[in-house]
Amino acid sequence: MAGVVVTSVVTAKALRGVRGPDAMVGNLPAASWPIGVGALFLIITALSASLDEQKVHTLMWPTASGLVVGLLYLAGGTVYRDRLQYLLGTWLALTSSAALFLHGAPLYWVLALAGGGSYLVAAALEPRRHAKALLARAS
């Protein structure tokens, strides 16, 4: 939920005063977040009920969430031509999916360290990326 709220606030600020097709380019990727999470909820709930297996929730919520978030970042990186966002999405989608091969605690350690660590790396690189973008606009 925190990710959805932060993304919504940042998108709303970025799109303030933007109209027409440019506004749609910002609004559609933002709307994809609740759609993706809602679809994930339906898939995991249906799988869990069909298989009558609670372990589906335990495995799929953390890993499939990483996959969905990764795919959303991939889409956002493509739409906004943002390599950092695209690379973050690639990393999250692949590591979250690959973590399913692990069992028990190692699965969660990979998600925490590889997934959480990727956000720290992206946060450290963002100011540099932002400065380059500002310089490119000024030229």
Side-chain angles (χ1 to χ4, degrees), residues 68-133:
V68 168
V69 168
L71 293 174
L72 289 167
Y73 275 120
L74 276 167
T78 301
V79 168
Y80 301 122
R81 296 180 179 101
D82 182 343
R83 258 188 233 141
L84 181 58
Q85 192 176 159
Y86 189 88
L87 290 172
L88 177 62
T90 300
W91 180 256
L92 289 172
L94 292 174
T95 56
S96 296
S97 299
L100 277 169
F101 287 103
L102 303 171
H103 301 283
L107 177 141
Y108 301 104
W109 279 109
V110 165
L111 293 174
L113 296 175
S118 66
Y119 279 104
L120 293 174
V121 170
L125 294 174
E126 177 61 14
R128 191 177 87 191
R129 187 202 65 80
H130 187 66
K132 278 174 105 174

Side-chain angles (χ1 to χ4, degrees), residues 7-95:
T7 300
S8 299
V9 169
V10 169
T11 301
K13 284 182 180 180
L15 293 174
R16 198 173 293 148
V18 178
R19 301 281 179 254
D22 289 337
M24 187 173 17
V25 167
N27 287 326
L28 291 178
S32 299
W33 283 83
I35 293 166
V37 173
L40 183 62
F41 170 80
L42 294 172
I43 288 170
I44 292 172
T45 303
L47 268 176
S48 182
S50 294
L51 300 173
D52 195 26
E53 179 64 59
Q54 183 60 33
K55 197 170 187 176
V56 170
H57 285 280
T58 306
L59 290 173
M60 293 302 291
W61 268 115
T63 57
S65 294
L67 172 62
V68 168
V69 168
L71 293 174
L72 289 167
Y73 275 120
L74 276 167
T78 301
V79 168
Y80 301 122
R81 296 180 179 101
D82 182 343
R83 258 188 233 141
L84 181 58
Q85 192 176 159
Y86 189 88
L87 290 172
L88 177 62
T90 300
W91 180 256
L92 289 172
L94 292 174
T95 56

